[in-house]
């Protein structure tokens, strides 16, 4: 069979993750206007799979006042890229060297006395006063100081502030059920948070700003907005409540597509790929797509997740393999080199990341942060361009 290139056609495109920076900026502006107060844009996990530095520049172009990341390596990468915006990093294990963070004017969070001690050690070594956030566990039972440990942490932080080694600039927590706005844990966590804040205020930490609201709370829980909000996934146009992001004026920024590598006609009753988990019901065309679970396409998507091919959404036929999967495109005129779309904004008939999440029983957060591997990433739009 003659290849498309030898037939004089355009060669197949590469698998790509296309990121719309203007969409990220516009989403940021929508959320900033919604809350009417400062916004910390969370760009951790490589900008939720959209690219750390380009995403950071895009949210700043959209009006973000602050940036948030999980680990210090992310914070230092932003500083190395020339981004000078106020920046918080919050996830640190024992033995973390905070000196580079303090030197780079990165704010850090602690949730235990030993963490505070390590920050104080770095402050003494560098001669710089650490800008510090204290994290209270209000019921998520993940990171954060428990109500039992909080008084001692606050007292130690107040002493360190009096000694000029730290300035406590933030008091914060994280919610367990913000994506279920009527859940009773919300009021319970707010109550525990305000008790923690009152204790800190009583210890003299009177200038620290309060932040609690993640993406879901930024959209649905105005009572949790406090001094500033801290959205993440919503910046990238995904609804943290699992619905239609356009209801809030948001647009998904990521489109994932790949070329068809091969097509073939097969008869009815043909088993497809490993284990013949899919068997054709009639004579049909199979299209081979050269991405798989090594590229972040979930193996669980086999026979379940939809892909736009030949003008229609079609479920993956059989198992997702390490490097490839197959589509049954029927009699559609799909050829090698044609583009298929795994997910995108949805306005051109393609599936959305939410559809994929529903199909494979996960959340869109996981899909956009795990996709990668041999996909190339390409940016469109000019927001934050250097």
């Amino acid at each position: 069979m003659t290849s498309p290139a030898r037939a004089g056609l355009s060669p197949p495109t590469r698998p790509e993750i296309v990121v719309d920076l203007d969409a990220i900026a516009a989403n940021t502006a929508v959320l900033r206007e919604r809350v009417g107060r400062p916004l910390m844009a969370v760009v951790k996990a490589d900008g939720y799979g959209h690219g750390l530095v380009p995403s950071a520049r895009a949210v700043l172009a959209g009006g973000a006042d602050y940036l948030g990341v999980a680990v210090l390596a992310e914070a230092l990468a932003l500083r190395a890229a020339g981004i000078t915006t106020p920046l918080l990093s919050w996830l640190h294990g024992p033995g973390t060297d905070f000196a580079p963070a303090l030197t780079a004017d990165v704010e850090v969070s602690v949730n235990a006395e030993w963490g505070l001690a390590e920050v104080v050690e770095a402050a003494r070594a560098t001669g710089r006063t650490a800008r510090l956030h204290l994290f209270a566990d209000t019921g998520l039972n993940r990171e954060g100081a428990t109500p039992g440990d909080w008084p001692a942490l606050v007292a130690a932080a107040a002493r360190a502030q009096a000694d000029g080694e730290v300035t406590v600039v933030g008091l914060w927590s994280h919610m367990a059920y913000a994506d279920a706005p009527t859940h009773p844990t919300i009021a319970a966590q707010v109550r525990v948070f305000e008790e923690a804040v009152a204790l800190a205020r009583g210890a003299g930490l009177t200038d620290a700003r309060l932040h609690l609201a993640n993406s879901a709370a930024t959209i649905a829980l105005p009572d949790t907005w406090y001094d500033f909000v801290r959205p993440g996934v919503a910046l990238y146009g995904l609804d943290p409540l699992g619905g239609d992001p356009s209801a809030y004026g948001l647009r998904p920024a990521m489109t994932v597509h790949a070329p068809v590598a091969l097509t073939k006609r097969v008869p009815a009753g043909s088993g497809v790929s490993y284990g013949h988990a899919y068997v054709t019901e009639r004579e049909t065309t199979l299209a081979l797509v050269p991405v798989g679970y090594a590229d972040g396409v979930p193996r669980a998507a086999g026979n379940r997740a939809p892909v736009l091919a030949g003008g229609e959404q079609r479920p993956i036929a059989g198992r997702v393999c390490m490097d490839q999967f197959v589509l049954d495109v029927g009699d559609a005129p799909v050829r090698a080199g044609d583009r298929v779309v795994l997910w995108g904004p949805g306005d051109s008939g393609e599936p959305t990341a939410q559809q994929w999440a529903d199909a494979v029983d996960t959340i869109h957060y996981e899909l956009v942060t795990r996709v990668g591997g041999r996909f190339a990433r390409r940016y469109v739009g000019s927001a934050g361009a250097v």
Side-chain angles (χ1 to χ4, degrees):
M1 181 182 293
T2 302
S3 74
R6 293 196 177 195
L9 303 174
S10 298
T13 58
R14 60 187 180 175
E16 285 187 328
I17 301 165
V18 181
V19 176
D20 184 346
L21 297 174
D22 291 345
I24 295 175
N27 295 334
T28 306
V30 165
L31 294 172
R32 182 68 169 75
E33 182 177 3
R34 182 182 188 88
V35 299
R37 66 198 68 201
L39 181 147
M40 175 188 285
V42 179
V43 293
K44 64 177 182 173
D46 198 24
Y48 285 61
H50 295 69
L52 173 66
V53 173
S55 294
R57 290 178 173 146
V59 296
L60 293 173
D65 307 274
Y66 221 122
L67 296 175
V69 295
V71 299
L72 286 180
E74 296 168 325
L76 297 176
L78 291 171
R79 289 291 187 250
I83 294 172
T84 59
T85 302
L87 171 60
L88 171 65
S89 172
W90 58 73
L91 187 59
H92 320 292
T96 297
D97 180 5
F98 288 99
L102 303 192
T103 301
D105 197 26
V106 173
E107 299 176 12
V108 296
S109 176
V110 299
N111 51 35
E113 287 185 80
W114 58 260
L116 173 62
E118 292 185 343
V119 172
V120 167
E121 181 181 354
R124 292 170 179 168
T126 60
R128 300 178 68 95
T129 300
R131 292 176 60 82
L132 190 70
H133 296 240
L134 301 181
F135 194 118
D137 182 356
T138 57
L140 182 62
N141 289 317
R142 201 176 63 176
E143 71 265 53
T146 66
D149 293 335
W150 181 251
L153 176 61
V154 165
R159 289 193 298 271
Q161 179 164 285
D163 292 340
E165 294 162 333
V166 308
T167 299
V168 179
V169 297
L171 302 171
W172 69 302
S173 190
H174 197 53
M175 305 190 73
Y177 269 100
D179 56 351
T182 61
H183 199 276
T185 59
I186 293 169
Q189 283 197 258
V190 168
R191 183 180 66 253
V192 174
F193 181 61
E194 293 188 347
E195 291 169 355
V197 169
L199 191 149
R201 297 292 196 228
L205 305 180
T206 55
D207 295 330
R209 294 190 295 170
L210 313 181
H211 52 113
L212 179 62
N214 58 4
S215 283
T218 297
I219 287 173
L221 298 171
D223 288 345
T224 68
W225 290 351
Y226 292 101
D227 294 319
F228 60 90
V229 296
R230 203 176 60 241
V233 79
L235 301 167
Y236 309 96
L238 300 172
D239 181 4
L241 305 179
D244 179 2
S246 68
Y248 313 109
L250 305 176
R251 175 178 172 79
M254 177 185 287
T255 298
V256 179
H257 70 85
V260 173
L262 176 70
T263 60
K264 61 181 69 176
R265 292 293 288 182
V266 300
S270 296
V272 177
S273 196
Y274 290 130
H276 287 180
Y278 178 85
V279 178
T280 61
E281 295 181 354
R282 58 187 176 86
E283 182 182 0
T284 191
T285 297
L286 300 179
L288 181 68
V289 183
V291 291
Y293 59 76
D295 308 294
V297 180
R299 189 172 183 272
N303 284 334
R304 298 167 70 180
V307 177
L308 179 65
E312 295 182 17
Q313 291 189 23
R314 309 168 191 275
I316 292 172
R319 295 181 183 170
V320 173
C321 306
M322 186 180 294
D323 314 296
Q324 54 201 284
F325 63 79
V326 177
L327 298 172
D328 182 342
V329 298
D331 297 321
V334 176
R335 305 182 57 180
D338 287 354
R339 187 180 78 151
V340 302
V341 183
L342 282 70
W343 66 78
D347 48 13
S348 296
E350 77 277 11
T352 63
Q354 184 64 57
Q355 282 181 261
W356 267 67
D358 293 341
V360 302
D361 193 26
T362 186
I363 53 176
H364 49 50
Y365 299 72
E366 180 182 7
L367 294 169
V368 297
T369 56
R370 75 184 292 179
V371 69
R374 288 159 291 192
F375 281 98
R377 190 187 284 147
R378 177 166 61 90
Y379 295 97
V380 297
S382 58
V386 176

